Amino acid sequence: TARAELHKLASALSDADAERLVGLYAAFDANPRDPFAMAACDDDGDPVIVLSDAMLRFVANVARAESLDEANGSRRVEGYATFLARAQNADARLLPPPPGFYSADRPETTYEARRDGAISFVLARELVSLRRGDLVCPHPTATKEHGDDVWTAAEQRRALETAAKLHPGSPERDREAT
C-alpha cells in the first residue's frame, strides 16, 4: 500500500521535481517500537522515504478506530490515545489496542480508504521535504539497485543524523502535504 501511495504522489510531481527525485522509493524499517517516517538518502545517493513497522501498525490501528467511530458514533481513536498514554513504554514495541477494542455493533466500512489516506499523508509530508530541497540526495538514479530492497543499519544511522537537521515540523509543510 505504501509503495502504491508513493507512486501516486510521485506521479503528480512537476517534471522538474520528478527529475530531481528520480529513483525515489519507499523502504521499510522493521522497528516495532518507534513509529516514524523520514525522508532520507540511501547508500547509493537515491531519495527514499522510510517507514517503520511501528508507523504502519499505528496508522492501521488509528484508521480502523476512526472507521469504527464513524460507523458507531464511538470514540475509539480517543480511547486508543488514552491507552497508549497510560500503557506504552518508551523502549517497548508499539502496543496494539487492547482485546475487544475493535468489537462494535456496526462494522467499519471506510477502513481501507482511511488507512490508505493516512499512509499517503505520512508519505506526502516527507515528500514535501525532498521536493522543497530540505534534503538533497547526491546521486539519484532511475536504476533500481539490488540493495534498494534492504534498509541497512548504516543507512538508518546516516538517515537519523540527517533527520536531526531537517525541520522538526511545520504547519506550512503539513498544508502542502495535504
Side-chain angles (χ1 to χ4, degrees), residues 65-76 104-106:
E66 284 180 329
S67 184
L68 285 167
D69 286 352
E70 181 180 72
N72 294 280
S74 56
R75 297 171 61 144
R76 282 184 175 76
D105 294 334
R106 288 180 263 165

Side-chain angles (χ1 to χ4, degrees), residues 13-88:
L13 291 172
S14 71
D15 290 342
D17 287 337
E19 186 176 322
R20 273 188 321 97
L21 298 176
V22 68
L24 173 68
Y25 67 98
F28 304 94
D29 188 304
N31 185 326
R33 296 178 308 278
D34 186 14
F36 71 82
M38 74 170 87
C41 300
D42 71 6
D43 57 355
D44 300 319
D46 290 319
V48 57
I49 297 176
V50 184
L51 299 167
S52 69
D53 183 63
M55 175 59 86
L56 294 171
R57 290 178 189 275
F58 178 73
V59 166
N61 290 335
V62 171
R64 175 148 290 143
E66 284 180 329
S67 184
L68 285 167
D69 286 352
E70 181 180 72
N72 294 280
S74 56
R75 297 171 61 144
R76 282 184 175 76
V77 172
E78 212 173 285
Y80 184 47
T82 300
F83 170 73
L84 286 177
R86 288 184 185 150
Q88 184 66 47

